[in-house]
Amino acid sequence: MDERVFIPPFKIQGIKSKLVPLIKSSVSISEKTTWIEPFMGSGVVGLNIAPSRAIFADINPYIVDFYNQLKSKHITSYIVREFLEEQGKLLSESGAEHYYFVRERFNARHSPLDFLFLNRSCFNGMIRFNKKNEFNVPYGHKPQRFAKAYVTKIVNQIRHFEQMLSCNDWDFLCQPFEATIALADENAFVYCDPPYIGRHVDYFDSWNEDDEKRLKNCLTSSNANFMLSTWDCNRYRANPYIASIWGEYAKITHEHFYFLGARENNRNAMTEALLTNWQPHKAV
């Protein structure tokens, strides 16, 4: 199993970087396969699967906008470096004052560069919006956050994404999961990483039992091979919806530790589950 994992430029709670090697070893796609992600998030899974053809979608318009501007070359790694160096200098001089200035500016103008800056300087790398869809994560209290090495790290992550965009056919869409899964056919592989049911999520939208059932119905009617990430259990409880909704599908489990979260006591070991209808004889 190839353990090397490329990290995308955005930090998101619940990012699947620790699961990437397991996912890569558990799926099989060909040049004819369209890889589809209705819940793109940071994009870490698709970035590492590196399909020739992919549709990435999310209801968070700001990440989708950033990647579309990267694809169109309105944003480049060079532009990002200049922006983060400039804004990092202002942050080092003014700290919280500049952070909240940029947050207010982003909520008014929705600049994808401002969004990247906020994501990398806010508290614990969270993405969270209020009911007015305003980014409301507080300052991370690290005025020297954008040191030269840190900026270079982000720029290198963007350069790798640029490289993938230059040699593959990837589309980025802002739309509900139903519309994205409707694009799938028997030549598609759909990877889903929805908000975890039965757990508190507030990074862009909530998720409940009805959503989980609608997702299952969309996937089963698509005739596509699919894989779903969800939580299996932690030291306190197990996920009851795996048996009640997804019990007919194969389950692969993996335990890892979450480092992102608003409170330290929420950063615990979690057994993750990959639920799939894919079988080796059905390889696409």
Side-chain angles (χ1 to χ4, degrees), residues 26-73:
S26 303
V27 303
S28 178
I29 63 173
S30 73
E31 291 294 317
K32 297 180 180 179
T33 305
T34 299
W35 177 266
I36 298 178
E37 291 194 35
F39 308 89
M40 176 183 67
S42 69
V44 67
V45 174
L47 178 65
N48 285 275
I49 295 293
S52 297
R53 168 68 182 143
I55 298 172
F56 297 98
D58 206 283
I59 59 170
N60 184 327
Y62 311 118
I63 291 180
V64 173
D65 185 32
F66 184 94
Y67 286 145
N68 271 325
Q69 295 212 33
L70 198 62
K71 179 180 177 180
S72 67
K73 300 183 179 180

Side-chain angles (χ1 to χ4, degrees), residues 59-236:
I59 59 170
N60 184 327
Y62 311 118
I63 291 180
V64 173
D65 185 32
F66 184 94
Y67 286 145
N68 271 325
Q69 295 212 33
L70 198 62
K71 179 180 177 180
S72 67
K73 300 183 179 180
H74 287 97
I75 291 177
T76 66
S77 53
Y78 178 79
I79 289 172
V80 169
R81 180 182 290 280
E82 284 196 324
F83 180 81
L84 293 183
E85 286 177 348
E86 175 189 71
Q87 297 301 310
K89 184 175 184 296
L90 294 171
L91 184 71
S92 68
E93 294 170 351
S94 303
E97 180 182 353
H98 184 65
Y99 174 84
Y100 289 111
F101 169 79
V102 175
R103 194 177 77 170
E104 184 176 344
R105 182 173 69 189
F106 168 75
N107 284 328
R109 303 177 184 176
H110 302 135
S111 162
L113 290 173
D114 281 345
F115 187 57
L116 179 63
F117 170 85
L118 292 171
N119 176 244
R120 290 295 188 144
S121 56
C122 69
F123 175 72
N124 208 40
M126 294 181 64
I127 292 182
R128 186 185 67 196
F129 295 81
N130 61 23
K131 292 181 179 179
K132 296 180 180 179
N133 282 340
E134 296 173 331
F135 188 83
N136 66 349
V137 183
Y139 177 44
H141 297 287
K142 294 181 180 179
Q144 306 302 322
R145 182 62 162 166
F146 294 98
K148 184 176 180 179
Y150 190 65
V151 171
T152 296
K153 178 180 178 181
I154 298 170
V155 169
N156 287 340
Q157 291 167 349
I158 291 173
R159 281 179 179 161
H160 183 71
F161 222 111
E162 287 176 319
Q163 181 183 358
M164 291 294 100
L165 290 172
S166 70
C167 59
N168 296 302
D169 180 15
W170 291 1
D171 289 329
F172 300 93
L173 306 175
C174 183
Q175 60 187 26
F177 70 84
E178 296 95 335
T180 305
I181 297 174
L183 300 173
D185 58 22
E186 65 275 6
N187 292 317
F189 197 106
V190 184
Y191 170 71
C192 291
D193 183 22
Y196 280 4
I197 187 170
R199 294 179 59 80
H200 178 65
V201 291
D202 57 4
Y203 45 88
F204 199 79
D205 202 4
S206 58
W207 192 261
N208 58 36
E209 184 176 356
D210 289 340
D211 296 316
E212 193 94 347
K213 288 179 177 178
R214 284 190 297 114
L215 175 58
K216 181 195 175 184
N217 290 337
C218 287
L219 289 171
T220 54
S221 63
S222 70
N223 295 318
N225 291 307
F226 68 82
M227 177 174 285
L228 172 86
S229 289
T230 189
W231 69 284
D232 185 67
C233 61
N234 59 26
R235 61 178 176 173
Y236 302 109

